[in-house]
Amino acid sequence: MKKIAIHKNKLVELEDRIESLEDINEQDKARFMEFTLERAEQMWRHFLQLPKDKLLQCKQLLIPAGFWVDENENVYTPEISVLYRLATNKKDLSELEKSFMVRVRRL
């Protein structure tokens, strides 16, 4: 009986450790997502000043389907980046699903 109690205690300790590691993993994901979005925003703000290789990386990362600018200097893209889709909350997501076109802030 004593061995069973010891194993049950070890099991509880391991389950607690797993839960702790899962929490750390979620926190790491959140921090990484914040970092990624901040980096993407920095790239987007300086899009036209980027060197050509970085400009192409930024375009692939943020506007994979390309973009165009209308006569009023509004920037449009038919597809929003996966990064932004992951970062949006449910209210934003339902708004985006209603639109086939996504308006992007001016360059």
Side-chain angles (χ1 to χ4, degrees):
M1 287 302 261
K2 191 172 184 179
K3 282 188 176 185
I4 292 174
I6 291 171
H7 287 298
K8 282 184 180 182
N9 286 339
K10 283 184 181 180
L11 181 61
V12 168
E13 288 174 13
L14 289 172
E15 287 173 343
D16 289 345
R17 179 76 176 135
I18 288 171
E19 189 174 320
S20 173
L21 290 172
E22 287 173 347
D23 289 344
I24 291 170
N25 188 34
E26 287 302 313
Q27 292 169 0
D28 286 347
K29 283 181 187 178
R31 280 195 303 264
F32 178 74
M33 194 64 178
E34 266 182 52
F35 166 79
T36 304
L37 289 172
E38 285 175 17
R39 180 75 175 130
E41 280 294 322
Q42 288 174 354
M43 288 177 78
W44 182 249
R45 275 188 243 120
H46 304 287
F47 184 76
L48 295 176
Q49 290 82 32
L50 292 172
K52 187 173 181 175
D53 61 327
K54 297 292 181 193
L55 189 132
L56 292 174
Q57 288 175 356
C58 182
K59 181 194 167 292
Q60 290 174 336
L61 182 67
L62 301 176
I63 43 179
F67 67 95
W68 67 94
V69 181
D70 70 8
E71 64 276 358
N72 297 320
E73 296 184 5
N74 294 317
V75 180
Y76 296 91
T77 181
E79 178 184 353
I80 193 162
S81 166
V82 172
L83 290 174
Y84 287 111
R85 283 196 307 259
L86 291 173
T88 58
N89 63 32
K90 290 182 182 178
K91 287 183 183 176
D92 289 341
L93 187 58
S94 64
E95 284 289 320
L96 292 175
E97 286 175 346
K98 293 178 184 176
S99 174
F100 292 106
M101 300 300 292
V102 179
R103 183 168 177 216
V104 179
R105 227 182 312 148
R106 290 185 178 174
L107 291 175

